[in-house]
Amino acid sequence: MTEREPFSIHAKVRTYELDPNGHLNHAVYHQYGEIARTELAVAAGVTEGLIKQGIGIVMLESHIRFRRELRFGDEATVSCVARFEEDKKVFWMDNVITKLDGTVSAEIESTLGLMDLDKRKLVPGPMERIRDAGVDLDLLRGS
């Protein structure tokens, strides 16, 4: 069995995304990560499956490590994989932003949870909830 490539999107740096130093503004790296997380969630069926249960995904924390700058016209892939641990109320989604030449530009680790949209509280067992919603866990985990 061959290992699946992680889910990814394509990004191209536009002029209005630059900061005064001529490289991609720090907040835009986070936006690229959010676009990849959202597209992965939609592709795997997370959003639709959970909303039917009255549950939504919420961002609890996001941390970025900048490795190499992106400049106007640079193109990159933004990968996204989910990580789960048993008995945790949270899970993680990791992004790697990689230039087309293979240079890693940034790494983002996001801590997420599932929130009951009526009670506005985190629900336990995110992996089980996501699996019960009919989600493709292999696609989420990149395996």
Side-chain angles (χ1 to χ4, degrees), residues 14-29:
R14 298 166 291 240
T15 56
Y16 62 85
E17 296 173 326
L18 303 178
D19 67 12
N21 297 321
H23 58 248
L24 191 67
N25 181 279
H26 64 93
V28 179
Y29 285 91

Side-chain angles (χ1 to χ4, degrees), residues 81-139:
V81 295
R83 293 184 288 118
F84 298 91
E85 288 184 21
E86 296 293 326
D87 303 320
K88 296 281 186 181
K89 268 192 169 178
V90 299
F91 63 103
W92 299 267
M93 292 187 92
D94 299 324
N95 301 105
V96 178
I97 301 174
T98 308
K99 292 180 178 186
L100 296 184
D101 69 3
T103 303
V104 173
S105 182
E107 300 162 319
I108 306 170
E109 180 184 69
S110 300
T111 305
L112 303 139
L114 299 181
M115 184 173 73
D116 181 306
L117 297 175
D118 290 327
K119 296 178 183 174
R120 310 309 280 182
K121 300 268 187 198
L122 289 181
V123 297
M127 184 173 72
E128 292 78 18
R129 295 283 186 130
I130 289 171
R131 182 179 47 236
D132 293 347
V135 171
D136 184 345
L137 278 174
D138 288 339
L139 178 60

Side-chain angles (χ1 to χ4, degrees), residues 37-66:
R37 286 188 297 278
T38 301
E39 292 295 325
L40 174 55
V42 170
V46 174
T47 307
E48 182 179 329
L50 290 175
I51 293 296
K52 287 180 182 176
Q53 297 180 28
I55 296 172
I57 299 174
V58 292
M59 174 74 67
L60 302 171
E61 182 178 337
S62 184
H63 177 78
I64 190 165
R65 286 174 297 284
F66 298 101

